[in-house]
Amino acid sequence: MSRTLLSTVNPPHRLLMGPGPINADPRVLRAMSSPLIGQYDPVMTDYMNQTMALYRDVFRTQNEATLLVDGTSRAGIEAALVSLIEPGDRVLVPVFGRFGLLLCEIAERCQAEVIRRDIEWGQVFTPDAIEAMLRETRPKVLALVQGDTSTTMCQPLAEIGALCHQYGALLYTDATASLGGNAFEMDAWEVDIATAGLQKCLAGPSGSSPISISPRAVEVIRQRASIEAGLRGDADAAIAVNHIRSNYFDLGMILDYWGPSRLNHHTEATSMLYGAHECARLLVEEGIEAAVDRHQLHGDAMVQGLKGLGLSLFGDLDHKMNNVVGVYIPDGVPGEAVRQTLLNDYAIEIGTSFGPLHGKIWRIGTMGYNARKDTVLTTLAVLEQVLRQARARVVAGGGVGGANEVYAQGGRG
Amino acid sequence: MSRTLLSTVNPPHRLLMGPGPINADPRVLRAMSSPLIGQYDPVMTDYMNQTMALYRDVFRTQNEATLLVDGTSRAGIEAALVSLIEPGDRVLVPVFGRFGLLLCEIAERCQAEVIRRDIEWGQVFTPDAIEAMLRETRPKVLALVQGDTSTTMCQPLAEIGALCHQYGALLYTDATASLGGNAFEMDAWEVDIATAGLQKCLAGPSGSSPISISPRAVEVIRQRASIEAGLRGDADAAIAVNHIRSNYFDLGMILDYWGPSRLNHHTEATSMLYGAHECARLLVEEGIEAAVDRHQLHGDAMVQGLKGLGLSLFGDLDHKMNNVVGVYIPDGVPGEAVRQTLLNDYAIEIGTSFGPLHGKIWRIGTMGYNARKDTVLTTLAVLEQVLRQARARVVAGGGVGGANEVYAQGGRG
């Protein structure tokens, strides 16, 4: 293009019913368009403190160390793992989907001794199975995804933190896809570090990663702490021997920036912080339990609607996340062509899938701002038409009918 | 707060005349409030391609590998260094301020053999001095800040890339503070990797880091490339032996996401991309040379205004960045109290300083959206009043008068 002046962005309307990102709540976008202020302006540091307090409610924790990592959800994952793991540390990763593989990969790059345990995609691990692994392998860190969008499964975590602590391990969990739409109890479940993103049930854009860190994990991180050379006083120690192998993801430094000492690290991404603040406010205002109930209601409605159309669903439905469902592409139906028709003719996006499920299932999300009755019914109505056009056998009216039965029972919408 | 519902963010008016962040151009904030679309929506991938093309203009390069790293400017720095440096690699860092120290620190965390060469804060290195260091130390990478806001200095780079290549080194430069407000010629100066941020002369918020990578540097990175386990086909190699020690900052993977193969990595931070796109459009629309001229004009006006007030300026003014100036806090004047008065009574923010300059100089910026005549004259008018109130000797009308002389000569504003 060289000198051509392209136009400003002007994205078309889309109803994003895939596994995320989804449409941001307009309140979040409005908050993000607020004017900037300086990073040490008292108003800004107050917003940072408010954000910490709001995310304590979202994560259901008393952890002082609850803040944002500036980057997408995988920035939060890497910050957690690189801040905990020293080269040679043993890390156990039970894998039930693509994002478990990501945890393995990031831990390997931290030079951990990674012990990977796989289960068939579409299943989750029992606490007994995880206890057996802990007993056998005695890891420093158990890294476990809560909700893996690649399979739609939600790993039960309630007993895992206590098991980890019984066997001397720390529990890290990636709650990116699940937080806000499925029960999550940081303190009651004894989770040591949890990370998330805004682009799923939190109804915001990708680009900021909420994180909460238990006092036990803070202690581990503090033993590896450094103060940047440009900020170090004479009394401060030089870089620690077992220093964290990243500056950007050094949670000790990030804590010093968010904490009372306010030691400069990065320049906080102000607009993303405004957005993250509003995402948490939406959830706290609604009530976390009410938000989870809402995701369950609309998730159930989507499930019953898809069944009502005569489609088969993927995986162990007793352990499905509330906010996303995998549905088998009917025999003979061209999966990608159907997705294109949905997008081009109806402006509705549903998801494809990764790895062993690629070409076999679609993934349909009902989360955040889009966990609503109108989005569920519209998607089912449209899907019926598009499937019929693709010569699939569908039950006329079965999608909307199935969903409406759930709404009639649930009495909400 | 527990259950208290805090209000949505509603930041007060501020005129941000520090070393950045500065007020974002309202066009950038409007672009950022646009609705989200899916990450593989053809409209989104087209916006990604446009963003690459726009930043090629901004960096003055033909580099295909020109894109965004999702994080603040130091995310771009770390992505560049961790993707180039293998443990044990020799990295030369000529340090002329705090951000040179940051390059040392990040290179150390990459386990480089770091060779640091210091110069007094307020000076820059001559090409001869840098050639002597290259000849002596033969590094794999020369890491050099272009504009270091801690000292306001702008390191001349025009000859450095060719020198690096003569001695078999790659040139990385951190152009966060300088890009868009000072001449920068990626290709003509043979820079191998340059990174930036939006919150300085680009008139946007912190949170996205534009980066450009020469074919020579891409080749180095490609030799260390990995494909994520969850995405790897049977024919793809396993993780490389000399693999990049970060997943999030693996520029090979980030290139695969931005390139034709569109291999999923992170979920692009859509709103920040919209903002980065508009930041580049503003500069391309104005013309890069015109933008640099504008920064020079208003920077000169600020310099002459401060001199006109009778204040002393910091450092080698022949090598000052156009967009920021260091001014000595007059004897007996309480520097922090003056800054507080400026903020509280006039809603104007100027900068404090780091390290050896802390408590000695203020830093005043004229950059991006705030490189304007009204902001310069207002700041000078207010500074005169506040200094007088603090019992400093100032020349009445000298600030605005000095600036207006520059505007009279420059014939613009």
Side-chain angles (χ1 to χ4, degrees):
Chain A
M1 94 164 180
S2 185
R3 285 291 135 193
T4 311
L5 293 182
L6 300 162
S7 307
T8 193
V9 294
N10 187 24
H13 166 75
R14 298 289 194 234
L15 176 58
L16 301 175
M17 299 298 282
I22 49 87
N23 298 85
D25 191 301
R27 273 177 52 176
V28 175
L29 297 178
R30 283 199 296 272
M32 290 183 67
S33 68
S34 302
L36 302 186
I37 52 179
Q39 63 172 326
Y40 289 111
D41 194 306
V43 178
M44 180 66 184
T45 51
D46 186 44
Y47 288 161
M48 291 171 78
N49 291 338
Q50 288 180 21
T51 302
M52 296 174 89
L54 286 162
Y55 278 96
R56 284 186 202 111
D57 268 21
V58 172
F59 280 112
R60 312 272 284 189
T61 184
Q62 303 292 322
N63 290 339
E64 177 63 26
T66 303
L67 36 85
L68 306 175
V69 173
D70 283 9
T72 71
S73 40
R74 79 167 60 192
I77 299 172
E78 188 157 320
L81 293 182
V82 79
S83 293
L84 287 179
I85 299 171
E86 297 181 33
D89 279 344
R90 192 173 299 168
V91 176
L92 172 63
V93 189
V95 173
F96 60 99
R98 179 192 165 201
F99 290 96
L101 294 172
L102 177 63
L103 299 187
C104 291
E105 145 117 20
I106 294 175
E108 276 170 21
R109 294 198 188 216
C110 299
Q111 297 176 271
E113 180 196 333
V114 176
I115 299 168
R116 166 178 158 187
R117 292 287 185 266
D118 286 86
I119 200 170
E120 194 188 349
W121 285 30
Q123 307 297 319
V124 295
F125 293 91
T126 63
D128 284 352
I130 287 179
E131 181 174 10
M133 292 175 208
L134 285 166
R135 192 186 306 117
E136 179 204 344
T137 64
R138 305 278 172 164
K140 174 177 171 181
V141 176
L142 173 69
L144 187 56
V145 174
Q146 183 185 27
D148 198 315
T149 47
S150 69
T151 69
T152 76
M153 292 297 107
C154 190
Q155 170 65 45
L157 292 179
E159 299 168 56
I160 309 299
L163 284 173
C164 281
H165 296 148
Q166 187 183 327
Y167 290 94
L170 294 162
L171 174 59
Y172 162 72
T173 193
D174 170 12
T176 301
S178 49
L179 190 71
N182 304 268
F184 184 83
E185 297 286 342
M186 183 97 200
D187 288 356
W189 298 352
E190 298 187 32
V191 177
D192 289 300
I193 305 190
T195 62
L198 305 185
Q199 75 276 18
K200 310 277 184 180
C201 304
L202 272 65
S206 171
S208 179
S209 181
I211 184 170
S212 186
I213 313 168
S214 73
R216 191 190 308 247
V218 168
E219 196 180 321
V220 171
I221 292 164
R222 285 294 183 199
Q223 284 163 6
R224 309 180 66 194
S226 308
I227 294 176
E228 226 167 86
L231 303 175
R232 208 178 285 155
D234 291 339
D236 297 316
I239 203 162
V241 178
N242 61 346
H243 68 274
I244 293 166
R245 296 291 171 86
S246 167
N247 171 287
Y248 192 72
F249 292 134
D250 183 328
L251 287 174
M253 286 186 168
I254 298 173
L255 284 168
D256 286 341
Y257 178 48
W258 283 75
S261 62
R262 295 274 172 217
L263 272 186
N264 187 236
H265 181 250
H266 59 284
T267 298
E268 183 58 19
T270 316
S271 303
M272 286 307 308
L273 178 128
Y274 292 167
H277 182 280
E278 191 68 10
C279 287
R281 283 189 68 247
L282 284 163
L283 279 179
V284 171
E285 199 173 277
E286 180 178 12
I288 310 297
E289 284 117 330
V292 171
D293 288 348
R294 172 171 56 88
H295 281 86
Q296 184 167 3
L297 175 70
H298 299 296
D300 285 352
M302 183 62 82
V303 161
Q304 294 308 322
L306 293 169
K307 284 183 178 173
L309 281 171
L311 301 173
S312 304
L313 303 185
F314 172 77
D316 172 7
L317 295 184
D318 290 339
H319 291 104
K320 194 183 74 57
M321 278 188 280
N322 289 326
N323 49 304
V324 60
V325 58
V327 53
Y328 283 98
I329 301 168
D331 283 344
V333 168
E336 280 309 289
V338 164
R339 289 207 321 125
Q340 292 315 313
T341 303
L342 278 168
L343 189 69
N344 295 332
D345 289 358
Y346 300 89
I348 296 177
E349 183 183 272
I350 65 169
T352 179
S353 46
F354 293 112
L357 302 178
H358 188 68
K360 294 183 186 160
I361 69 165
W362 294 307
R363 292 175 301 153
I364 302 180
T366 44
M367 63 186 97
Y369 185 62
N370 288 353
R372 300 196 315 264
K373 186 172 175 179
D374 63 294
T375 58
V376 169
L377 295 180
T378 303
T379 302
L380 288 165
V382 165
L383 191 60
E384 179 184 329
Q385 299 305 318
V386 175
L387 284 171
R388 182 172 295 125
Q389 210 179 335
R391 300 176 188 281
R393 273 206 296 216
V394 285
V395 180
V400 166
N404 270 329
E405 275 179 36
V406 173
Y407 289 126
Q409 290 159 17
R412 286 195 291 171
Chain B
M1 75 145 206
S2 185
R3 285 291 137 195
T4 311
L5 292 183
L6 300 163
S7 308
T8 193
V9 295
N10 187 24
H13 166 75
R14 298 288 195 235
L15 176 57
L16 301 175
M17 300 298 283
I22 49 90
N23 299 86
D25 192 301
R27 271 176 54 177
V28 176
L29 296 179
R30 281 199 296 273
M32 290 183 67
S33 68
S34 302
L36 303 187
I37 51 179
Q39 64 172 326
Y40 289 112
D41 193 307
V43 178
M44 179 67 183
T45 51
D46 186 44
Y47 287 162
M48 292 172 79
N49 290 339
Q50 288 180 22
T51 302
M52 296 174 89
L54 285 162
Y55 278 96
R56 284 185 201 112
D57 268 21
V58 172
F59 281 112
R60 312 272 281 189
T61 184
Q62 303 292 322
N63 289 338
E64 176 65 25
T66 302
L67 37 83
L68 305 176
V69 173
D70 283 9
T72 71
S73 40
R74 80 166 60 192
I77 299 172
E78 188 158 320
L81 293 181
V82 78
S83 294
L84 286 179
I85 299 171
E86 296 181 34
D89 279 345
R90 192 174 299 168
V91 176
L92 171 64
V93 189
V95 173
F96 61 99
R98 178 190 167 204
F99 290 96
L101 293 172
L102 177 62
L103 299 187
C104 291
E105 144 116 20
I106 294 174
E108 276 170 22
R109 294 199 188 216
C110 299
Q111 298 176 272
E113 180 196 334
V114 176
I115 299 168
R116 167 178 157 186
R117 292 285 185 267
D118 285 87
I119 199 170
E120 194 188 349
W121 285 30
Q123 308 297 320
V124 295
F125 294 91
T126 62
D128 285 351
I130 287 179
E131 181 173 12
M133 294 175 208
L134 285 166
R135 193 185 307 115
E136 180 204 341
T137 63
R138 305 280 171 163
K140 174 177 171 182
V141 176
L142 174 68
L144 187 57
V145 174
Q146 183 185 27
D148 198 314
T149 47
S150 69
T151 68
T152 75
M153 293 297 108
C154 190
Q155 170 65 45
L157 293 179
E159 300 168 54
I160 309 299
L163 285 173
C164 281
H165 297 147
Q166 187 182 326
Y167 290 95
L170 294 162
L171 174 59
Y172 162 72
T173 193
D174 170 13
T176 301
S178 49
L179 189 71
N182 304 268
F184 184 84
E185 297 286 343
M186 184 96 200
D187 287 357
W189 297 352
E190 298 187 30
V191 178
D192 289 301
I193 305 190
T195 62
L198 305 185
Q199 75 275 17
K200 311 277 184 180
C201 304
L202 271 65
S206 171
S208 179
S209 181
I211 185 170
S212 185
I213 313 167
S214 73
R216 191 190 308 246
V218 168
E219 198 180 321
V220 171
I221 292 164
R222 285 294 183 198
Q223 285 163 7
R224 309 180 67 194
S226 307
I227 294 176
E228 227 167 86
L231 302 175
R232 209 177 282 155
D234 292 339
D236 297 315
I239 203 162
V241 179
N242 61 346
H243 68 274
I244 293 166
R245 294 293 170 85
S246 166
N247 171 288
Y248 193 71
F249 292 135
D250 183 328
L251 287 174
M253 284 184 170
I254 299 174
L255 283 167
D256 287 342
Y257 178 48
W258 283 74
S261 63
R262 296 274 171 217
L263 271 186
N264 187 237
H265 181 251
H266 59 284
T267 298
E268 182 59 17
T270 316
S271 304
M272 287 306 308
L273 178 128
Y274 291 167
H277 181 280
E278 191 67 11
C279 287
R281 284 190 68 246
L282 284 163
L283 279 179
V284 171
E285 199 172 276
E286 180 178 13
I288 310 298
E289 284 116 333
V292 171
D293 288 348
R294 173 170 56 89
H295 280 87
Q296 185 168 1
L297 175 70
H298 299 295
D300 285 352
M302 183 61 82
V303 161
Q304 295 308 321
L306 294 169
K307 284 183 177 171
L309 282 172
L311 301 172
S312 303
L313 304 185
F314 172 78
D316 172 6
L317 296 185
D318 290 340
H319 291 105
K320 195 183 74 57
M321 277 188 281
N322 289 326
N323 49 303
V324 60
V325 59
V327 53
Y328 282 99
I329 301 167
D331 284 343
V333 167
E336 280 308 291
V338 164
R339 289 206 321 124
Q340 293 314 313
T341 304
L342 279 167
L343 189 69
N344 295 333
D345 289 358
Y346 299 90
I348 296 178
E349 183 182 273
I350 65 169
T352 179
S353 47
F354 293 111
L357 302 179
H358 188 67
K360 293 182 187 160
I361 69 165
W362 294 308
R363 293 174 300 154
I364 302 181
T366 44
M367 62 186 98
Y369 185 62
N370 288 353
R372 303 196 311 265
K373 186 172 176 179
D374 63 295
T375 59
V376 169
L377 295 179
T378 303
T379 302
L380 288 165
V382 165
L383 191 60
E384 179 184 330
Q385 300 304 320
V386 176
L387 284 171
R388 181 172 296 124
Q389 208 180 334
R391 300 176 187 282
R393 274 206 297 219
V394 285
V395 179
V400 166
N404 271 329
E405 275 179 35
V406 172
Y407 289 126
Q409 289 159 17
R412 285 195 291 169

